[in-house]
Amino acid sequence: MLLFLSTKERLPQAKELLTELGLKHSVYPYENGSVLEISTETSIFSPQKIVEKLSFLGIVKITSHTPILDSLPENYSVELPAKAFGKLEFRKNPETPIWIAGPCALDTPENLRQTAKALAQAGVKLLRGGALKPRTSPHDFQGVGRDGYRWLADIAHEYGMAAISEALSEEDVEEAFEHLDIVQVGARNMQNFALLRLLGQGNKPILLKRAPGATLKEWAAAAEYILAGGNKKVILCERGVRGLEEELRYTLDFAGAAWMQLRYHLPVVIDPSHATGSKPLLQACTAGANAMGFAGVMLECHPRPVESKSDSLQALRLEECCELIKACS
Ligand code: PEP
Ligand code: MN
């Protein structure tokens, strides 16, 4: 962001105010006055807010990599159209978070039906299940295929829930849009720009997971790809980043996720299952997510975790998952 001051007289006042607002800045001479280059990236205020606070001093020009993201209002929310599952609204500081739960990978419609029945009774609003699985090894289970989108959605709707699953590549988008209520972009695809662009052309909500090695700025820029295509329905999901820790699967970056929600106003869902990979930690992390005002929580569960085709160690039994949700609702 640039602040043009037509005379040098107001420079001390401008510098004092910028320091007070915690904004890093550099000063350069400009015609008879000065120009201040202001770094807004580390500010909790949106560029619009900063413009409001500074414009009495001179001309303020926004220079941003994420202009659409920067222009979202403070009370921004992402709504799913009212269907069999009723209206669903993702927003910060909800009374109760939106619960997203289900298996890591879809396996059989019978298992999913059993899962849906239990979760619906516990107040889960969104049924998850990977039809296509991004696996580290090509020899691991790769998913049931795109046909899974259809039966996931059918079963979810049968039990009054919305359906969410991942699109792995551009080839999946058409069918994902046709069947799913929310399309997930997995952590490994956060910077698959061709996929993000295509998802930006639709109007279904997109849950954008953070890549384990992505900075907050890179995550925000990935969201901007979807917004720039015209699709404003972006929900972020923090699923842990690669840190120093070896005891846990990843490091759950609560502060980073809170920053994204405060700074950009996009709703953020916390996924403690993938972040920790540890069942005993799920309750504490879920309670923490609720206390911090996140829009939703995503949990993995399976009727018989030992039989689940992927992430069996972190999958809760259905009763465990329902108990956890009840305890934290
Ligand atoms: C998932 O949620 O199914 C998944 C694969 O998670 P992530 O992309 O966060 O690893
Ligand atoms: Mn998983």
Side-chain angles (χ1 to χ4, degrees):
M1 177 177 290
L2 301 173
L3 167 62
F4 295 89
L5 300 177
S6 56
T7 67
K8 290 209 165 67
E9 278 156 36
R10 303 197 93 177
L11 187 58
Q13 191 191 359
K15 285 174 72 73
E16 196 182 319
L17 181 58
L18 291 172
T19 309
E20 219 170 84
L21 295 173
L23 295 166
K24 278 192 224 147
H25 53 275
S26 317
V27 186
Y28 305 97
Y30 180 75
E31 296 181 348
N32 293 328
S34 318
V35 60
L36 288 96
E37 189 181 5
I38 303 161
S39 162
T40 58
E41 280 145 22
T42 52
S43 174
I44 202 66
F45 301 114
S46 69
Q48 274 72 14
K49 262 262 149 9
I50 299 172
V51 171
E52 266 173 42
K53 289 176 189 287
L54 298 181
S55 52
F56 76 95
L57 285 167
I59 299 166
V60 190
K61 223 166 122 184
I62 298 178
T63 46
S64 165
H65 289 300
T66 52
I68 303 169
L69 187 56
D70 285 336
S71 68
L72 299 177
E74 262 170 54
N75 61 353
Y76 194 72
S77 71
V78 174
E79 262 184 46
L80 270 70
K83 276 204 190 162
F85 42 80
K87 194 177 97 169
L88 277 183
E89 188 182 14
F90 284 87
R91 58 176 190 83
K92 57 183 161 191
N93 304 320
E95 255 168 52
T96 38
I98 293 187
W99 297 104
I100 307 172
C104 178
L106 296 173
D107 48 17
T108 67
E110 293 70 37
N111 279 343
L112 190 68
R113 197 164 268 116
Q114 197 181 333
T115 305
K117 192 174 173 195
L119 294 179
Q121 280 169 6
V124 173
K125 292 282 169 29
L126 260 153
L127 186 64
R128 63 149 287 149
L132 305 161
K133 295 305 301 175
R135 303 307 299 278
T136 304
S137 164
H139 306 292
D140 290 337
F141 179 65
Q142 303 288 309
V144 294
R146 286 197 290 265
D147 197 35
Y149 292 158
R150 187 185 42 76
W151 56 264
L152 165 69
D154 285 348
I155 294 172
H157 296 168
E158 201 182 304
Y159 287 92
M161 287 183 279
I164 176 169
S165 194
E166 177 170 349
L168 267 194
S169 75
E170 294 158 78
E171 284 166 33
D172 309 323
V173 171
E174 195 180 329
E175 281 176 71
F177 277 158
E178 186 185 341
H179 298 291
L180 303 172
D181 301 295
I182 301 183
V183 181
Q184 178 169 320
V185 176
R188 288 154 195 82
N189 262 324
M190 190 202 85
Q191 286 186 316
N192 180 342
F193 299 123
L195 177 64
L196 300 178
R197 275 209 180 90
L198 195 55
L199 293 170
Q201 286 166 25
N203 62 5
K204 285 267 164 99
I206 310 298
L207 182 113
L208 177 64
K209 287 194 147 194
R210 179 185 186 179
T215 62
L216 300 179
K217 204 173 150 193
E218 286 164 339
W219 194 11
E224 180 80 8
Y225 264 88
I226 303 170
L227 297 168
N231 187 351
K232 300 284 189 318
K233 297 178 188 160
V234 178
I235 303 157
L236 300 174
C237 178
E238 162 63 30
R239 46 78 73 212
V241 291
R242 193 82 78 189
L244 297 170
E245 197 45 71
E246 290 178 345
E247 302 302 319
L248 300 173
R249 198 169 173 192
Y250 293 97
T251 297
L252 179 50
D253 184 10
F254 269 130
W259 167 270
M260 294 299 276
Q261 220 180 222
L262 261 175
R263 168 65 180 77
Y264 295 111
H265 315 308
L266 285 179
V268 178
V269 165
I270 298 292
D271 171 358
S273 293
H274 288 96
T276 65
S278 164
K279 294 212 300 180
L281 283 176
L282 296 182
Q283 179 138 357
C285 292
T286 301
N290 294 356
M292 288 180 77
F294 289 109
V297 175
M298 179 186 269
L299 294 164
E300 284 190 344
C301 60
H302 192 277
R304 292 166 305 284
V306 50
E307 288 173 26
S308 65
K309 302 270 192 199
S310 55
D311 287 347
S312 52
L313 288 179
Q314 72 198 28
L316 294 161
R317 283 186 294 106
L318 299 181
E319 311 80 71
E320 287 174 327
C321 190
C322 295
E323 265 167 40
L324 190 161
I325 287 169
K326 278 185 198 144
C328 294
S329 287

